[in-house]
Amino acid sequence: MMDDSRQFTLRDYTLDNRRLLLNETLFHNANGYLGVRYVFEEGYPQGFNSIPGQYINGFYDITDMDQPERLYGLAQQKQVMLNVAETQTIKAYFDGEVFSMFTGTILKSSLTLDMNRGVTIRQVHWMSPQGRELRLRVTRMASFDQLTLFTIDYELTPINFSGEILLESVHNGSVSNASDPHDPRNSNVSVQYLTPFSTQVQNNNSVIESMTSESGLKVCSCVHNVIDGEHTQEFLFNNNSSVCRLTVSADEGETIRLIKYTALCDSIRYDDCRAQAGEEIDKALSVPIETLYARQQTYLEQYWDNCYVEVAGKYDLNTALQFNLFQLIQSVGKDDHSNITPKGLSGEGYEGHFFWDTEMYLEPFFTVTNPEMTKCLIAFRYSTLEYARENARIMGHQQGALYPWRTIMGRECSGYFPSGSAQYHINGDIAYSIIAYYLATKDDDFIIDKGAEIIFETARLWLDVGCFFRDQFHINDVTGPDEYTCIVNNNYYTNVLAQHHLRWAVNFYKMYRRRAAFKRLIARIDLTQDEIAAFLHAADSMFLPYDTELKINPQDDSFLQKEKLDLQSIPEDNFPLLMHYHPLYLYRHQVSKQADTVMAHFILEDAQDIETIRNSFLYYEQITTHDSSLSECIYSIMAARLGMVEKAYDYFSKTVFIDLADHYNNTRDGIHVANMGGNYMTIVYGFGGLRIKRDGIHFAPIIPEQWEHYAFHISFEGNRIGVHVTADTCRFELLSGSPTDVTVYNKSYRLDDTLDFDMQTKIPRG
Amino acid sequence: MMDDSRQFTLRDYTLDNRRLLLNETLFHNANGYLGVRYVFEEGYPQGFNSIPGQYINGFYDITDMDQPERLYGLAQQKQVMLNVAETQTIKAYFDGEVFSMFTGTILKSSLTLDMNRGVTIRQVHWMSPQGRELRLRVTRMASFDQLTLFTIDYELTPINFSGEILLESVHNGSVSNASDPHDPRNSNVSVQYLTPFSTQVQNNNSVIESMTSESGLKVCSCVHNVIDGEHTQEFLFNNNSSVCRLTVSADEGETIRLIKYTALCDSIRYDDCRAQAGEEIDKALSVPIETLYARQQTYLEQYWDNCYVEVAGKYDLNTALQFNLFQLIQSVGKDDHSNITPKGLSGEGYEGHFFWDTEMYLEPFFTVTNPEMTKCLIAFRYSTLEYARENARIMGHQQGALYPWRTIMGRECSGYFPSGSAQYHINGDIAYSIIAYYLATKDDDFIIDKGAEIIFETARLWLDVGCFFRDQFHINDVTGPDEYTCIVNNNYYTNVLAQHHLRWAVNFYKMYRRRAAFKRLIARIDLTQDEIAAFLHAADSMFLPYDTELKINPQDDSFLQKEKLDLQSIPEDNFPLLMHYHPLYLYRHQVSKQADTVMAHFILEDAQDIETIRNSFLYYEQITTHDSSLSECIYSIMAARLGMVEKAYDYFSKTVFIDLADHYNNTRDGIHVANMGGNYMTIVYGFGGLRIKRDGIHFAPIIPEQWEHYAFHISFEGNRIGVHVTADTCRFELLSGSPTDVTVYNKSYRLDDTLDFDMQTKIPRG
């Protein structure tokens, strides 16, 4: 373990607004239930922009989304993740002065994300305009052990003065969501969705209850301030906010410590969210905060062990890699009311909606590291299956379920359906992730309990959307992953995924048909033998476009007859293209926003021969802009799998820093969670060559020359396997569990302790 | 002439709301500049819906059209035709009673549209609740002679009482646009766009000036009331309305006559619209109203002579036909600030936007009857050419002009671009209409002055939007006329039209290259020989989809691989499909909203052999819902041309009553103007077999067995030709002008007086 790599520290604060907004995202605290952006407790001077967001995963309001032409079935409302009551503010006054990073002199400062302890720590040594020196140390935590809890541990030490210090701890229920009228990926209006209806102080708890306008949901935030030693306390409050004024007499050199506990409870999870919030505060106060810190560390020790991965070499990207993995555990919803937003709980980009990112970029990580998390994510989809059925009817389908492209509570939120609801592959993605979860865990009970129903209902939809034409099964008028080409016929990605999906529907049916619980399911959803036969027939007849001249899989039926966009001639400022070209112009050209056919080849390599996969990779690489952060990681994986190690490394090194280096210039709106999962995948599924198929687990490691070694642990069928790769050798170790077969470089071996291999460089397939 | 057929009378008023809304449309008065819906002067009781619209063609405000996803280039504002100040209200009081159709007893009533005189006449014999009997006769006129003028001639005769009668004549500037949240073809919010900023009474004129919110336009309405005999007059007015109270002493049996003159002037046409409105009133008052009526009749005599057409036989559809033709002259804009909205000036459906309807359904009528009108309509397009260039840049094109799919002042107003801006065929439609105008008139000067620049700039766009693939010119990702199939490759209609367009660009270039004015144009728009060569090359290489199995032209590259929608199985209530199915569902099926390939075969029959045209007709007929009113007329024409006379007649008889019988159940929102042009076309271009091609004028008459005879006059190269068809013979007569060649049933003849032929029934081509 290289523990140092799990700390990330910025020294000597840069106070420009751009950097501060970026820090708000990078240093946010979250635990999958709540998320708090990193805003200075003492606030900012006038003129600074800040997005002081505090979010709850899956907590939403509903708002109108007027369609300029109200065609039938277009979503005319959407759900929006809400910014809930602000509980971050703490102001420190002493003898007519007030602490601020923007006045006086910062003698020393740092901001640290400690990913082993699961806290952020700000340290400042500061001199006031009148010469008072003080040290400030603020430790913030979103507790993994107690998901409703966020703490600010505020330690202030006067260095060269003594006297009364007044701390004002604010709790403000009057909050709005952020907006950016210039970026179509964000909301264009700043809206106050939540209305506080009760603000009270009881037992020194400041309690604000708020209600949404449309969704009828409530949230309660309860704040409790604890200060060491003798002090006076008074509360000021109005209808929607309270201030707790704490006055303490401080001696030079003596540290004052204020701990501000926030409990956030919503009415989705709790019948009585007000009572619950009070109980959560009581629970937190029942032990010293050091106990909470210790629990946080214990939780993360387990996490880091589960998803252990490290790289070491010429350019050490390890800290960035750990940063990315840390964001995954911060972002993942841990109950079936929530999922993973593309920005985690770090910002409001994409308005807190859930997309396919979860299934295709994040579950591949969790499934082989923390399979319980994947189970929970699938359970979320299961809990919204009824809405997917409703959505299928809206879209004109007589049977089956169609998951919405973007949603919080289960209903479609796509404003522009050609690159939204038309992405029917979401059904295949969800099915794929269930199959992958099954392959990695063999968790039959969960499949029978939840997975199979999703698989069958979404499989039914393929039969309804597709049709036979000249004896082949066609899927017309859908959109694949590439949003620069919409509403096409026979998108390769969609079709090959649907084929896989339909085949597994048949597999599961055959596997479980004699089990009682499964029989009850079959009866309940009225699944017939004829349908199973139809699934198989459609899968076997699936039309997969192939171009005999180029020997590639065309992205769709007509992709290759379009003109290529000359990407070289486009000024750099015109990327991402979606911000500078009309959709029709993009649709009309051979240009891809992101991996599409190449993505299909990653997830379903056995559907095609390696030469077609290679040709396709080389072809699409030329016309892909990677305007989506979901793209380069897939290109990295496929380059690795095709033996183009240098190229794989280049893609990897771009993606690993996407947020830390603000590569897309929009990390202020939130981290790019899918890419973080993609980052893990590049190492484990790309360089490590991991595949989990019906015939077992495969590896085919390669290593970039910039690295001395890399290593990772994965979980497979309850066993834990360690992989350690150097330039010359690779070792596989059974860390726990029972002996298991592994395929390495295409040959099968029994792993009961360790296996060692020489590194190979020619790897036709994993 | 069958003069009676030009009167249309409803007797014994039905006072249900549905019928009243329909009458508001059917009996509206318009002259191409202004339009006034037929609202009872005395108003309606509470609870009745009315759309008391008064409109000016081309007068608009701009309003936001929020796109739920603000993708680059999507129209985010639209123009809206405005409801201007209301000047219809006249209330009559006598001895504590007030006249209303909804109280007392209607002893007799009628409402007449007199299309020879160009007026509507309401006559009522009414008894009040207290037993007072009166006769009312109201004559309303939108003057063709003086376009700014609308008059209400209000004659009231007390039958069994005498006494004081008070007439209140209202002028109200506080008006809103109508709305219908349930129909995507209408606005969903009722908005007051106009704000009155000056309300005054001067020289007994009530003058209200109003300003739009966003477009910065002004409109002035000036109302003047004239009453016969002794009377008193007083005005009451506030900031946005005035009431003129006229008191007159009436004797039993003596008619009181109030003439209410309205002049409407906008700041688009008039620098000082206030002064102009006053002058217009003065002008109207300078002669007796009988003179104005006489001028109206004279104007219409000319019109009816120009567009003379009649049918007579078993089922006399002639009145409906005349009704339709009358709406055309009421609807057509008569300056280059205006055009023809799909609803004329009779309602707010489609928000007063101009579409391709003008070029493809209305100019074919005007070009052969009133070519000056076509010239004016083309001049409108010319006046907005700069906006079409701007639009092309927005859509990503480096050269040329792309006309917006829907517009008032020239900028795109499509809210949903896949069935809006994507209809690039609008460019070809405009070019087609210019070419057709040229062929019918040989008006070289106009082509050189305006037509050619449009032709060349829009031809350039085809080169930019299309591309060569396997040596053929492809046009990808556009939408054809059928809005149930959007964003397709190689729409046959679009491609064959582009081919025609490009060829004529070359023709015009060759014809005029040596003319000085033309050379100046070429220099100004920098048109090169290379471009001309490129036009020809693209035209000659144009890919026109053809299916060797079905021997038809597929609507687009992938149309035939889609599943057919089983139209028989769809409940009748689910039509029009656009109101009941998600667009993707429709796109995914072989189903057409309207004539598309069949339309192409109508306008450009020489691009295809007759068998393909026939096969295509029969194929598409099965899958076309005619959910657009632009469809059945084309099917009628093509059935006639293919010798399916019964079928042609059936389609014709459906279309002729679309508005009178409220066939689409939405005539309350306005008449269906395109269909009215289509109605003319079915007779002249369909049954009469008219074609005007480069080699001259063609006829190939057939006659439905239900008709004894039909006849029409048309204008060709300045000559006027009469055509008279009976079951056995057809006669061609040179009504005026010089001898000319005509092709009849495929053979050419010299027409210098009359030509007679036996009717043929087998007509392979015109």
Side-chain angles (χ1 to χ4, degrees), chain B residues 166-342:
Chain B
L166 166 65
L167 297 175
E168 283 190 353
S169 171
V170 179
H171 182 189
N172 180 13
S174 179
V175 288
S176 297
N177 274 40
S179 66
D180 179 353
H182 302 296
D183 189 333
R185 294 162 296 192
N186 297 324
S187 171
N188 58 342
V189 277
S190 182
V191 178
Q192 180 175 345
Y193 291 105
L194 276 174
T195 309
F197 63 91
S198 160
T199 303
Q200 292 190 320
V201 176
Q202 279 185 327
N203 310 325
N204 290 326
N205 285 348
S206 166
V207 184
I208 298 182
E209 286 179 279
S210 302
M211 175 89 88
T212 61
S213 306
E214 297 298 325
S215 65
L217 298 176
K218 286 190 287 188
V219 60
C220 179
S221 50
C222 184
V223 174
H224 189 97
N225 298 284
V226 173
I227 195 157
D228 281 354
E230 206 174 315
H231 66 278
T232 63
Q233 172 172 327
E234 63 168 341
F235 279 95
L236 307 174
F237 61 100
N238 60 20
N239 281 343
N240 44 39
S241 68
S242 79
V243 181
C244 176
R245 293 163 60 94
L246 298 142
T247 311
V248 58
S249 176
D251 289 335
E252 185 174 310
E254 187 193 312
T255 298
I256 299 164
R257 186 181 194 186
L258 166 67
I259 307 176
K260 184 174 186 179
Y261 296 84
T262 298
L264 286 178
C265 294
D266 67 25
S267 63
I268 299 176
R269 278 89 169 179
Y270 303 104
D271 290 338
D272 184 341
C273 52
R274 181 193 173 93
Q276 186 72 31
E279 285 170 30
E280 298 285 336
I281 289 291
D282 292 346
K283 183 178 166 195
L285 294 174
S286 68
V287 294
I289 194 158
E290 280 67 28
T291 306
L292 301 182
Y293 290 148
R295 288 176 185 162
Q296 182 85 339
Q297 187 154 359
T298 304
Y299 181 94
L300 285 169
E301 269 165 19
Q302 182 64 53
Y303 176 70
W304 289 120
D305 187 46
N306 287 347
C307 67
Y308 168 70
V309 55
E310 63 164 64
V311 297
K314 202 161 145 193
Y315 303 102
D316 196 346
L317 314 165
N318 205 44
T319 299
L321 180 60
Q322 306 305 321
F323 174 83
N324 292 344
L325 297 182
F326 183 67
Q327 301 309 332
L328 296 177
I329 192 65
Q330 287 213 115
S331 302
V332 59
K334 294 171 180 73
D335 58 34
D336 66 2
H337 301 293
S338 57
N339 203 278
I340 310 175
T341 94

Side-chain angles (χ1 to χ4, degrees), chain A residues 435-453:
Chain A
I435 297 158
Y437 171 78
Y438 168 78
L439 288 170
T441 62
K442 305 301 185 300
D443 185 352
D444 297 313
D445 290 343
F446 183 69
I447 299 299
I448 294 169
D449 185 34
K450 299 206 160 99
E453 187 170 346

Side-chain angles (χ1 to χ4, degrees), chain B residues 35-54:
Chain B
V36 183
R37 284 170 66 84
Y38 199 100
V39 172
F40 290 164
E41 289 77 9
E42 63 277 12
Y44 301 89
Q46 282 250 322
F48 271 72
N49 290 326
S50 171
I51 306 172
Q54 300 192 209

Side-chain angles (χ1 to χ4, degrees), chain A residues 691-739:
Chain A
R691 282 89 161 164
I692 302 180
K693 299 182 181 177
R694 219 178 174 188
D695 65 357
I697 190 164
H698 299 237
F699 297 96
I702 58 171
I703 187 167
E705 65 175 21
Q706 290 86 348
W707 290 350
E708 284 161 19
H709 69 92
Y710 68 95
F712 56 87
H713 295 172
I714 69 154
S715 164
F716 173 65
E717 297 183 356
N719 307 312
R720 297 187 37 73
I721 299 169
V723 181
H724 189 270
V725 184
T726 68
D728 307 313
T729 62
C730 57
R731 157 171 292 200
F732 299 86
E733 186 178 355
L734 185 65
L735 302 170
S736 69
S738 45

Side-chain angles (χ1 to χ4, degrees), chain B residues 119-139:
Chain B
V119 295
T120 49
I121 301 153
R122 176 163 63 125
Q123 297 188 83
V124 186
H125 181 185
W126 178 78
M127 189 167 65
S128 78
Q130 292 176 26
R132 291 183 184 82
E133 269 180 63
L134 58 77
R135 281 219 174 76
L136 182 71
R137 180 188 168 93
V138 185
T139 307

Side-chain angles (χ1 to χ4, degrees), chain B residues 45 63 98 130 162 220 240 267 370 436 449 462 520 559 576 622 638 655 690:
Chain B
T63 186
V98 57
Q130 292 176 26
S162 298
C220 179
N240 44 39
S267 63
N370 300 271
D449 186 34
W462 292 126
R520 286 194 296 274
F559 192 78
Q622 297 304 314
M638 290 309 291
T655 61
L690 173 69

Side-chain angles (χ1 to χ4, degrees), chain A residues 65 68 70-72 181 183 186 188 396 416-417 476-477 489 557-558 561-562 579 581-582 585 587-588, chain B residues 65 68 70-72 181 183 186 188 396 416-417 476-477 489 557-558 561-562 579 581-582 585 587-588:
Chain A
M65 185 165 60
R70 287 154 295 134
L71 301 172
Y72 180 88
D183 189 333
N186 298 326
N188 59 343
Y416 173 68
F417 79 81
N476 293 325
D477 289 279
N489 303 325
D557 277 357
S558 68
Q561 77 184 53
K562 298 184 182 174
M579 303 281 278
Y581 296 90
H582 192 283
Y585 182 83
Y587 299 171
R588 193 175 291 127
Chain B
M65 185 165 58
R70 287 154 294 133
L71 300 172
Y72 179 89
D183 189 333
N186 297 324
N188 58 342
Y416 173 68
F417 78 83
N476 293 324
D477 290 279
N489 302 325
D557 277 357
S558 68
Q561 77 186 52
K562 297 184 182 173
M579 303 281 279
Y581 295 90
H582 193 283
Y585 183 82
Y587 299 172
R588 192 176 292 128

Side-chain angles (χ1 to χ4, degrees), chain A residues 440-496:
Chain A
T441 62
K442 305 301 185 300
D443 185 352
D444 297 313
D445 290 343
F446 183 69
I447 299 299
I448 294 169
D449 185 34
K450 299 206 160 99
E453 187 170 346
I454 298 177
I455 295 268
F456 292 134
E457 282 292 88
T458 49
R460 279 173 159 165
L461 198 98
W462 292 126
L463 292 194
D464 203 76
V465 69
C467 68
F468 279 89
F469 177 68
R470 295 185 181 149
D471 298 331
Q472 291 194 292
F473 193 76
H474 285 230
I475 299 174
N476 293 325
D477 289 279
V478 298
T479 299
D482 167 27
E483 295 180 356
Y484 287 171
T485 312
C486 290
I487 312 187
V488 293
N489 303 325
N490 296 312
N491 169 254
Y492 177 81
Y493 177 91
T494 304
N495 286 23
V496 75

